[in-house]
Amino acid sequence: MSLLDVVLEVAVVVGVLHLASVLVFVGPDRLRPSTAARAVRSTVRAAGTPLVALAAVLAANGVVRRIGVELSWVVGVNVTGAIYAIEGTFVAAVQSYATPAATAYFGFVYVFGYVYLLTFPAIAYALREHPGELRTLLIAYGFNYGIGLVCYVLFVAYGPRNLMPELVDSLLFESWPRSQLLTSQVNENTNVFPSLHTSLAATVAILTWRGDSLSRWRPVAAALAASIVVSTMYLGIHWATDVVAGVALAAVSVVAAERIEARRDRSVGGGADSLDDGDGRDCPDDRDPRDGRMPE
Amino acid sequence: MGHRPSSGPPRRRALATIASGAAVAASGCVGRIRTMSGWESRSQVTLTIKAAPADEDPYALRVGRRIAEWLRTAGIDAQVSPVSEQELFRQVLLNREFDLFVAQTPARFEQPDSLYSLLHSRFVETPGWQNPFGYSDLDANDHLETQRRTTGREREDALERLQYVIARTQPFTVVAFPDDIRAARADRFDGWRSADLRSPTGYLSLERTTGRGGEGSPRTTATESDSEVDDSSASTLRLAVTDRRGTSNLNPLAVEFRRSGVLTGLLYDSLGYVADDGTTEPWLAASWSFDGDEPPVARVELRSGATWHDGEPLTADDVAFTYDLLADTSIGPVDGDGSDGGAGGDEDSDGDGGSDADADDGEGIPDDEEVPSPRFQGRISLVDEVRAVDDRRIEIRFVECPPDIAVRALTVPVLPEHVWSDRTTPASLAGIEIGSVTDALVTNNIPPVGSGPLRFVRNSPRESLTLERFDDHFLVDADRATLPEGVDGPPAFDRLSVRVVGSGVSAVGVVTDGDADVTGTAVGADTVPRIGRSDGTDLIVDGRTPPYVVGYNALSAPLSNPQFRHTLARLIDRTALLDDVFDGYARPAVTPLANTEWVPDELRWDGADPVTPFLGRDGEVDAEHAMEAFKTAGYSYDEGRLVRTD
């Protein structure tokens, strides 16, 4: 029962955040039922393939995660000791700054902020009818999950809260035990290298920073992504090494997704699918290097 | 090229000189290499400590980390490696891939004979909790055998000496007997304080708090949401556990999946059960008698009307089959009359039909190779032969031992022949046979067919398990006088649901939220304040637990050296562990028999270990003393690092 409660709680909170963000960053005019439905339908149709691909990766993730842990103990390498040898008690040092307020903030960011950060750009792109950016985003998510899953099979690693419980508290689960019902549904405690929280949050931050639209949302994305990255360590769930690997994974995923999208644009005949009405003009200098690079 | 005629004699001579010079030089060099090869390089002693992570075990990894710290102070390169408990047991108990491990043993050692299988060197090659340390000590063997054969003063002597040998040679170091800490709700079920939740009888002794399924009883919000599910859920006992293994494997023989064996203990009956005072009393057996034979013979009579969960009758043949199977899981199906099914008499092992491995008979596992069950080996080693006399009567011949030790063998689970006789074939993966292992050992045994008070309903691997009351069980209309103390009849619940959560703190959270009645696995001392703060949740602390031990792999150098292990044990400060790791919720001990009457006064814990006292104080190893001790043991130091020749 309480798992359902947690899921419901997350859905409600994230829903409210979405509504507010759409009003602020997308514009109320986009929210008219007829306009919104048309925009979403056409954008989603244009982004159909990556959407299906991502769904397939997530479905595979769900299946492989079950046998993956077993497989991981058979073929994988236990790198917990190696990670500990690299960074030692860094996470404990991060946690030494813990305050109840910070714990509440980072706990909120880790669960609610994360879901919000990952889903909002997809909604915004759909409402704004930016199928190209939506496609890039979805492809990048797919790479994150796909590569992450392979890493999880190849590397067995427990997080700092499991390796050094006397130094690192499971702040999230201790302050909000029910959240573990959710996180243990989503992932295993041996799957910490790399941090998918970090990589997906960083992916969103990088893409919005390099993208044309949502420029006013950029600072929000950047701040939220940074908070999530810190929260993974602050809450004792991930090592700094996981975070570094997560950022690298994000970079790889973004580059790969953009390459794929650029190739598609070329074969289709130019990226003319942006129906944007203005936000892109806010930051022309961001656009130039990208445009200059795309036809390479 | 030197063989061309044109090269002439002088040149040839010169070449010869060079060649012979080179040969001399080479031979000198080789000789030197050969001489030097006896003197191998020395490198630092490296030890890895394996332990289950904090999510699964509240203490093991923390104990391991403290010990690693102390070993490092003594110049040993010590690392801690977290591995899941299932994997830990696989690596330690089946593959012996470890240096040190920290874990709670399955046995509480209330019966000293349980040390026999744990330490006798005849079990060095046997997988499971049979001498997982690879320990062999001839004196220990003698004492183990003597205590098994004798009674009275003689046995007391043997056990005393045995404990001294163990304390000195340290096959493992007893860290402490921890308290079993649980959160339990008293609003639906009661009797938590007296119930031993590590044993099936503990769950059977629980009582309903209010009128059976009564609506008028005080309810919490949780039970309201429960009643939406179905009416019967009012009498569902809900467990929140951190050990997920029981949801995907219910094979009582699978050593790496079992901790206390409570779930399989509720699904399977045994002839007898171990009472709180350590004696063995009849359970599935109505009674048994020993008639003074030497070696002893037990005549066991089963309770009448015993039935398997699938409706088949439980007969003496099943019992005889069980003992044969546990002794050697590769036996063929024994003959129907059970008269020739001795534990040792496996000549008829070449398939008497029925099994699908007949085609590859003799290929996977040689006829003379036994594949014993990795659980229950110690108890099975007490049995010589089991014979079904008629449907309800069994005759069990034991090896030479007094009857009160022999009855230990009656506590193994009784398995249905009609299910398990097909599992005696070599196990295969995608048609390929793998090593000396039978299906019986690797099957997940779902759904299980037992005869116990609870019956399997459904499972969702890694998430949940549901069992229900078995209404044909003898508990339903048994004479109370024949039941264990506290067990008054059938279970007080219609269903038992097990739900897996991520960690001890989550388990406590689920209980305090009213979504479970009890934490089905023990939780750490760090959750005590949380349990205490919550209304409606009781803190249950039970001292009847198995000890945490540090096990050493005595088959790999330098741990094969008893003096080395003895010195290692002196680097472990149990007082510091008690304070820092167990928060006082444990009792340090010197010997595994610390909780029994068999422990000699000189081996009782009195704030320090009398045999392996800590080389330091207040949780800090005295590096100088430690180095001194290792040097005395024959090891040397190189720039503060303990080194040995490879």
Side-chain angles (χ1 to χ4, degrees):
Chain A
M1 283 328 267
S2 54
L3 172 64
L4 205 64
D5 294 346
V6 178
V7 172
L8 223 64
E9 202 174 337
V10 172
V12 168
V13 170
V14 172
V16 169
L17 286 174
H18 278 327
L19 195 63
S21 307
V22 168
L23 290 175
V24 174
F25 299 109
V26 181
D29 51 324
R30 289 273 174 188
L31 219 49
R32 269 195 304 273
S34 57
T35 334
R38 187 180 48 80
V40 168
R41 212 178 306 129
S42 74
T43 326
V44 167
R45 198 177 301 133
T49 322
L51 202 60
V52 170
L54 178 63
V57 170
L58 289 179
N61 185 37
V63 175
V64 175
R65 192 173 61 81
R66 294 192 165 275
I67 52 167
V69 179
E70 302 282 325
L71 187 64
S72 196
W73 282 112
V74 178
V75 301
V77 191
N78 192 339
V79 293
T80 319
I83 294 175
Y84 179 72
I86 293 171
E87 61 172 273
T89 56
F90 175 76
V91 173
V94 171
Q95 267 199 359
S96 64
Y97 298 100
T99 64
T103 304
Y105 171 71
F106 284 116
F108 178 84
V109 161
Y110 186 83
V111 177
F112 301 97
Y114 174 67
V115 177
Y116 163 76
L117 181 68
L118 261 54
T119 46
F120 177 69
I123 293 173
Y125 291 146
L127 288 173
R128 282 259 179 101
E129 298 182 57
H130 290 234
E133 281 169 284
L134 180 59
R135 268 200 309 271
T136 314
L137 181 74
L138 296 178
I139 295 171
Y141 283 175
F143 274 111
N144 275 298
Y145 273 111
I147 299 173
L149 193 62
V150 172
C151 289
Y152 288 161
V153 172
L154 294 182
F155 304 108
V156 177
Y158 284 100
R161 67 185 183 86
N162 255 317
L163 180 72
M164 34 187 193
E166 76 281 14
L167 295 178
V168 175
D169 292 320
S170 295
L171 283 178
L172 178 61
F173 305 136
E174 277 163 25
S175 59
W176 189 31
R178 268 194 268 177
S179 62
Q180 197 168 21
L181 301 178
L182 184 65
T183 57
S184 59
Q185 284 290 317
V186 180
N187 216 334
E188 297 290 332
N189 58 7
T190 49
N191 292 349
V192 302
F193 179 86
S195 158
L196 274 193
H197 257 78
T198 300
S199 78
L200 287 164
T203 299
V204 171
I206 298 172
L207 281 176
T208 45
W209 207 261
R210 288 159 67 108
D212 308 326
S213 52
L214 290 178
S215 61
R216 280 189 296 145
W217 191 65
R218 274 177 204 164
V220 178
L224 203 49
S227 298
I228 290 170
V229 167
V230 174
S231 77
T232 60
M233 293 182 283
Y234 176 89
L235 298 173
I237 296 168
H238 283 291
W239 300 93
T241 311
D242 305 334
V243 167
V244 171
V247 172
L249 174 58
V252 168
S253 301
V254 167
V255 169
E258 285 184 344
R259 285 254 172 97
I260 289 176
E261 195 47 27
R263 191 169 303 150
R264 178 183 178 279
D265 285 351
R266 242 175 324 177
S267 61
V268 170
D273 47 13
S274 174
L275 309 174
D276 192 35
D277 53 4
D279 274 341
R281 272 174 252 131
D282 290 348
C283 280
D285 40 344
D286 263 353
R287 180 168 200 153
D288 286 344
R290 185 169 165 230
D291 278 352
R293 204 173 43 86
M294 265 163 66
E296 77 193 27
Chain B
M1 40 158 74
H3 298 281
R4 269 192 275 167
S6 63
S7 44
R11 179 165 176 179
R12 202 177 299 155
R13 208 176 309 130
L15 278 172
T17 314
I18 291 169
S20 70
V24 168
S27 79
C29 183
V30 169
R32 192 171 162 77
I33 290 172
R34 191 168 162 217
T35 317
M36 281 172 63
S37 69
W39 300 91
E40 284 160 31
S41 65
R42 297 189 303 175
S43 58
Q44 191 176 12
V45 172
T46 306
L47 297 173
T48 302
I49 304 173
K50 290 184 175 171
D55 276 352
E56 288 181 54
D57 188 316
Y59 306 121
L61 200 96
R62 296 179 64 182
V63 170
R65 279 178 53 81
R66 284 309 293 273
I67 293 175
E69 218 173 276
W70 290 322
L71 299 195
R72 280 195 289 269
T73 310
I76 296 169
D77 178 13
Q79 303 294 334
V80 177
S81 175
V83 278
S84 74
E85 194 166 271
Q86 181 186 338
E87 188 62 21
L88 179 75
F89 284 1
R90 201 192 323 271
Q91 293 181 5
V92 171
L93 305 179
L94 302 182
N95 299 338
R96 204 173 267 134
E97 288 168 5
F98 72 101
D99 301 324
L100 276 67
F101 72 89
V102 182
Q104 209 172 359
T105 62
R108 261 163 47 191
F109 304 109
E110 65 267 66
Q111 293 163 318
D113 187 58
S114 49
L115 290 174
Y116 183 84
S117 55
L118 192 73
L119 293 173
H120 198 291
S121 67
R122 66 178 276 206
F123 295 109
V124 155
E125 291 288 319
T126 319
W129 279 103
Q130 283 67 241
N131 202 342
F133 319 106
Y135 172 74
S136 49
D137 185 290
L138 297 181
D139 291 332
N141 283 358
D142 284 347
H143 302 320
L144 285 165
E145 284 159 22
T146 311
Q147 66 81 27
R148 189 168 249 206
R149 270 199 321 266
T150 56
T151 52
R153 184 67 213 156
E154 214 179 333
R155 184 170 194 223
E156 217 169 287
D157 263 357
L159 283 169
E160 196 173 313
R161 283 162 200 231
L162 174 67
Q163 290 176 75
Y164 271 109
V165 173
I166 297 172
R168 286 175 52 76
T169 57
Q170 294 285 324
F172 57 88
T173 302
V174 180
V175 175
F177 287 79
D179 283 326
D180 184 292
I181 300 170
R182 315 249 178 170
R185 299 186 74 81
D187 53 354
R188 287 154 38 96
F189 295 94
D190 210 352
W192 300 111
R193 293 199 186 280
S194 54
D196 175 6
L197 296 177
R198 286 177 178 267
S199 110
T201 48
Y203 288 93
L204 298 175
S205 70
L206 297 177
E207 285 163 11
R208 287 275 274 284
T209 303
T210 52
R212 310 260 144 178
E215 296 298 323
S217 52
R219 294 287 180 191
T220 62
T221 48
T223 38
E224 278 162 27
S225 57
D226 249 4
S227 56
E228 290 162 21
V229 183
D230 60 342
D231 291 336
S232 67
S233 67
S235 65
T236 298
L237 177 67
R238 302 159 307 167
L239 273 53
V241 303
T242 56
D243 183 359
R244 59 159 72 128
R245 290 171 293 178
T247 60
S248 54
N249 181 306
L250 289 167
N251 182 351
L253 311 188
V255 67
E256 72 272 35
F257 286 91
R258 302 276 84 85
R259 189 184 276 175
S260 57
V262 162
L263 292 174
T264 51
L266 287 164
L267 288 163
Y268 288 90
D269 283 326
S270 49
L271 293 175
Y273 72 96
V274 180
D276 274 343
D277 60 0
T279 60
T280 304
E281 305 292 338
W283 176 253
L284 181 61
S287 64
W288 57 64
S289 61
F290 288 86
D291 292 344
D293 309 82
E294 278 285 336
V297 178
R299 290 173 184 81
V300 182
E301 183 167 346
L302 296 177
R303 288 181 192 262
S304 62
T307 321
W308 296 107
H309 294 162
D310 61 0
E312 297 281 324
L314 189 161
T315 67
D317 283 336
D318 289 309
V319 178
F321 169 81
T322 297
Y323 283 90
D324 291 346
L325 182 81
L326 294 181
D328 176 10
T329 58
S330 69
I331 51 160
V334 285
D335 289 342
D337 62 8
S339 58
D340 59 353
D346 56 351
E347 279 77 33
D348 59 344
S349 64
D350 291 22
D352 349 4
S355 64
D356 50 356
D358 280 356
D360 16 69
D361 237 2
E363 271 194 41
I365 298 168
D367 289 352
D368 55 349
E369 184 179 343
E370 293 186 352
V371 186
S373 153
R375 287 185 89 209
F376 314 118
Q377 264 298 292
R379 283 171 261 180
I380 286 299
S381 68
L382 290 163
V383 177
D384 180 33
E385 190 186 340
V386 179
R387 199 168 67 87
V389 178
D390 60 28
D391 265 6
R392 280 180 55 198
R393 282 183 299 168
I394 306 128
E395 201 176 272
I396 304 180
R397 292 179 177 283
F398 294 94
V399 299
E400 196 188 321
C401 63
D404 58 333
I405 293 178
V407 289
R408 281 191 69 224
L410 304 180
T411 58
V412 301
V414 176
L415 307 172
E417 182 176 4
H418 64 279
V419 175
W420 289 78
S421 59
D422 289 343
R423 294 176 174 169
T424 57
T425 54
S428 61
L429 190 65
I432 302 164
E433 287 175 8
I434 300 165
S436 291
V437 61
T438 54
D439 275 336
L441 300 184
V442 297
T443 174
N444 66 8
N445 194 37
I446 287 181
V449 178
S451 65
L454 295 184
R455 170 164 74 175
F456 176 83
V457 178
R458 65 172 162 268
N459 72 316
S460 166
R462 317 167 75 82
E463 285 171 7
S464 65
L465 171 72
T466 307
L467 310 178
E468 67 180 0
R469 187 167 62 201
F470 178 48
D471 286 326
D472 286 340
H473 193 263
F474 66 78
L475 280 177
V476 175
D477 43 26
D479 178 7
R480 280 189 187 192
T482 67
L483 298 181
E485 197 179 337
V487 180
D488 297 335
F493 42 89
D494 298 325
R495 286 192 169 213
L496 178 115
S497 75
V498 176
R499 166 176 169 186
V500 178
V501 296
S503 65
V505 70
S506 287
V508 170
V510 170
V511 174
T512 55
D513 282 355
D515 292 326
D517 297 301
V518 67
T519 54
T521 41
V523 294
D526 55 336
T527 62
V528 167
R530 185 181 295 272
I531 301 171
R533 273 202 305 272
S534 161
D535 294 333
T537 307
D538 290 340
L539 172 68
I540 310 294
V541 178
D542 189 345
R544 293 169 289 185
T545 51
Y548 273 94
V549 299
V550 181
Y552 306 106
N553 184 352
L555 289 186
S556 82
L559 293 167
S560 45
N561 180 347
Q563 187 64 54
F564 186 86
R565 296 196 302 267
H566 183 96
T567 316
L568 270 195
R570 298 195 60 190
L571 300 177
I572 299 174
D573 184 0
R574 277 166 276 191
T575 314
L577 293 176
L578 174 70
D579 294 342
D580 304 345
V581 175
F582 294 97
D583 286 347
Y585 285 92
R587 289 161 312 285
V590 181
T591 107
L593 301 183
N595 286 344
T596 67
E597 65 204 89
W598 303 98
V599 55
D601 283 340
E602 305 80 59
L603 287 183
R604 282 188 197 282
W605 177 266
D606 60 347
D609 191 308
V611 184
T612 52
F614 181 54
L615 283 167
R617 42 187 314 188
D618 303 332
E620 299 287 334
V621 164
D622 181 336
E624 223 157 278
H625 274 86
M627 290 183 182
E628 203 63 40
F630 276 110
K631 281 179 188 163
T632 312
Y635 294 84
S636 50
Y637 278 86
D638 178 11
E639 292 170 4
R641 299 176 310 151
L642 179 68
V643 293
R644 65 178 204 90
T645 48
D646 296 313

